[in-house]
Amino acid sequence: MEITGISDLPLHYGRVPQWLIPIMKRLSRAIVDVMLLEWGPDKVIERLSNPLWFQGFNNVIGMDWDSSGSTTVTLGILKEVINPVQDGLAVTGGKGKNSLNVPKELEALPSNFNVDAKRLSRISKLVAKTDTTLLQDGHELYHHSLLVSESGKWAIIQQGMNPTTRFARRYHWSSIKDPVNEKRAGLAGRKEKAVLNVHESVNAKRVIMDLLREDPSKIEKQYLRSMALIRGTSLDSWISLGTVGAISSEAKMVYMKPVDVRRVVKTLSEVREKSPTSLEEALLLGIGPSTMRALSLISDLIYNEPPSYQDPVNVPYDPFKYAFAIGGKDGIPFPVHKEIAFEVIHTLEEFAMKAKLEKKDKAVALNKLREMKLGVKEGT
């Protein structure tokens, strides 16, 4: 079973030293060379989609085990050193506005890629929507990268920042058909107390889809009625008598955050006009976090179908597992050892070069064999 999911990382303000960047690039290229020779592009995608393995990779190239920058720096370096034509592997998107370039970069992939760019662009948007609208855990996305192999296997790695705790959370996805309804296999990190998780509530999603077909003015009345029900009783009694059992007040407070009802009604009206047939379509048409909170509240209090309030994190991880390879840029667990780094680089480059030469020699030998066979046939 593939492990995809989440890793939590504190914000680090320090930048990667200029002298370390060439080492990181060269080491990353050497590791990628070995992985491609050993496994091929599909397996490399699978490995990077695993939050534990990705963490180990960025530790090995010199990032600190707990740095939020490990995601942006590592993916930025991989994007620079990977050659789609030669490697059968590509990294698209990136930090900030670069994340919006995924569709354009998918369209520009070389001809050796057997990829449906439009379908992957749609999946890219749905994954981002799922981790901002269907799962509301207090983290605002600022990085989104889609990695794809020439056969079409893909992974999405995106990161969000919690402005209150100053912790980053990294989300991993891998080659699934339906991000809105399929669960991740595993999520690594620290559990949050306040989470609205519509993603993992089948019944709530069904009710919400029914609500999207209703007259938006009726939804407005139901939302105001829900808020009145909350104001009419104490929070403690609401939680203890609610339909979801014993949960924390922080969790309930997630979708009690004020929403602009007029804006919600406007969004619902625009979406309803286009008659979406699935929640997937509704998300792509413009349903956002505020509207989803309002609909979730109605689903819970009016129709007795609550969303989940459980943070989907369920896989512990050992952040120090690979942290003692060459050290970390900020000196955690110790400063980067240049000598060790170059020793590792030289070893990997030598291995990769030898393997490539052997592969080339094998191809030459096979061609010679074919020529000999053709010569024998022509002679007879």
Side-chain angles (χ1 to χ4, degrees):
M1 180 176 68
E2 293 180 1
I3 299 178
T4 58
I6 293 173
S7 291
D8 288 321
L9 305 162
L11 175 65
H12 279 200
Y13 292 97
R15 294 187 176 185
V16 179
Q18 286 300 312
W19 62 264
L20 182 55
I21 292 175
I23 292 176
M24 284 182 162
K25 287 181 179 179
R26 195 170 164 187
L27 186 52
S28 296
R29 181 63 246 186
I31 294 171
V32 168
D33 270 337
V34 173
M35 291 193 300
L36 287 170
L37 287 165
E38 192 74 19
W39 301 328
D42 285 359
K43 193 68 175 179
V44 174
I45 291 286
E46 181 184 318
R47 291 293 191 185
L48 290 171
S49 71
N50 182 320
L52 314 184
W53 201 94
F54 184 93
Q55 193 70 22
F57 181 87
N58 70 58
N59 291 157
V60 169
I61 67 171
M63 288 302 297
D64 301 305
W65 70 266
D66 65 341
S67 171
S68 61
S70 63
T71 306
T72 55
V73 172
T74 300
L75 287 168
I77 285 175
L78 285 174
K79 190 170 184 177
E80 281 195 47
V81 302
I82 287 174
N83 184 321
V85 175
Q86 295 176 5
D87 300 329
L89 183 68
V91 180
T92 67
K95 184 178 179 181
K97 291 182 179 179
N98 290 326
S99 64
L100 303 176
N101 294 333
V102 170
K104 182 173 65 177
E105 291 176 10
L106 287 174
E107 292 284 354
L109 287 174
S111 58
N112 57 306
F113 279 73
N114 182 24
V115 168
D116 184 339
K118 288 184 178 179
R119 184 184 69 85
L120 273 186
S121 294
R122 181 184 177 91
I123 286 174
S124 169
K125 290 177 183 177
L126 279 173
V127 166
K129 276 284 191 178
T130 298
D131 283 337
T132 54
T133 301
L134 295 184
L135 175 64
Q136 297 185 38
D137 55 11
H139 293 77
E140 299 171 6
L141 292 185
Y142 66 91
H143 187 110
H144 178 97
S145 290
L146 186 148
L147 297 78
V148 63
S149 70
E150 59 189 358
S151 72
K153 189 175 180 68
W154 60 267
I156 289 175
I157 301 171
Q158 52 188 10
Q159 183 156 290
M161 179 64 68
N162 185 317
T164 304
T165 64
R166 306 301 289 171
F167 262 73
R169 170 170 279 198
R170 193 171 65 236
Y171 308 79
H172 291 246
W173 295 77
S174 177
S175 290
I176 60 175
K177 294 180 180 179
D178 184 4
V180 171
N181 294 305
E182 290 187 54
K183 290 184 179 180
R184 304 175 185 85
L187 311 177
R190 304 186 316 166
K191 283 188 177 291
E192 293 281 347
K193 292 180 180 178
V195 166
L196 174 62
N197 186 1
V198 181
H199 185 233
E200 295 187 4
S201 179
V202 175
N203 290 340
K205 281 191 283 191
R206 188 184 66 247
V207 171
I208 287 168
M209 197 60 222
D210 289 339
L211 289 171
L212 289 172
R213 300 185 182 99
E214 293 276 6
D215 183 343
S217 61
K218 182 179 177 182
I219 302 298
E220 180 181 9
K221 291 175 183 176
Q222 290 181 332
Y223 176 73
L224 294 174
R225 179 185 165 201
S226 298
M227 295 304 291
L229 285 171
I230 295 171
R231 286 193 291 270
T233 183
S234 70
L235 188 60
D236 289 336
S237 63
W238 177 41
I239 292 166
S240 62
L241 296 174
T243 59
V244 292
I247 60 172
S248 70
S249 58
E250 291 95 338
K252 283 279 189 176
M253 290 300 287
V254 172
Y255 68 12
M256 283 176 58
K257 293 177 183 176
V259 301
D260 185 338
V261 182
R262 286 175 296 180
R263 186 178 176 186
V264 167
V265 169
K266 183 176 182 292
T267 300
L268 289 171
S269 298
E270 292 171 353
V271 170
R272 187 169 179 246
E273 282 179 11
K274 297 179 181 176
S275 304
T277 58
S278 66
L279 189 55
E280 175 181 305
E281 287 184 19
L283 288 169
L284 293 174
L285 287 171
I287 296 295
S290 295
T291 303
M292 188 56 63
R293 285 204 305 274
L295 295 175
S296 298
L297 193 63
I298 295 169
S299 177
D300 186 353
L301 294 186
I302 307 297
Y303 295 97
N304 204 30
E305 288 293 355
S308 170
Y309 301 97
Q310 298 300 316
D311 191 334
V313 168
N314 58 12
V315 177
Y317 66 100
D318 178 6
F320 277 111
K321 188 173 182 181
Y322 300 96
F324 293 90
I326 67 169
K329 70 174 180 65
D330 292 339
I332 301 174
F334 52 80
V336 172
H337 286 174
K338 289 186 185 179
E339 297 79 7
I340 295 175
F342 280 114
E343 186 178 332
V344 173
I345 288 170
H346 291 149
T347 302
L348 291 173
E349 286 180 343
E350 186 178 344
F351 173 85
M353 183 64 70
K354 185 179 178 183
K356 285 179 179 179
L357 287 174
E358 287 175 354
K359 190 175 180 181
K360 186 178 180 181
D361 290 341
K362 186 178 179 181
V364 170
L366 287 171
N367 285 332
K368 289 289 183 185
L369 187 61
R370 290 191 193 99
E371 289 173 7
M372 287 175 66
K373 284 181 178 179
L374 286 171
V376 169
K377 285 182 180 179
E378 287 174 1
T380 58

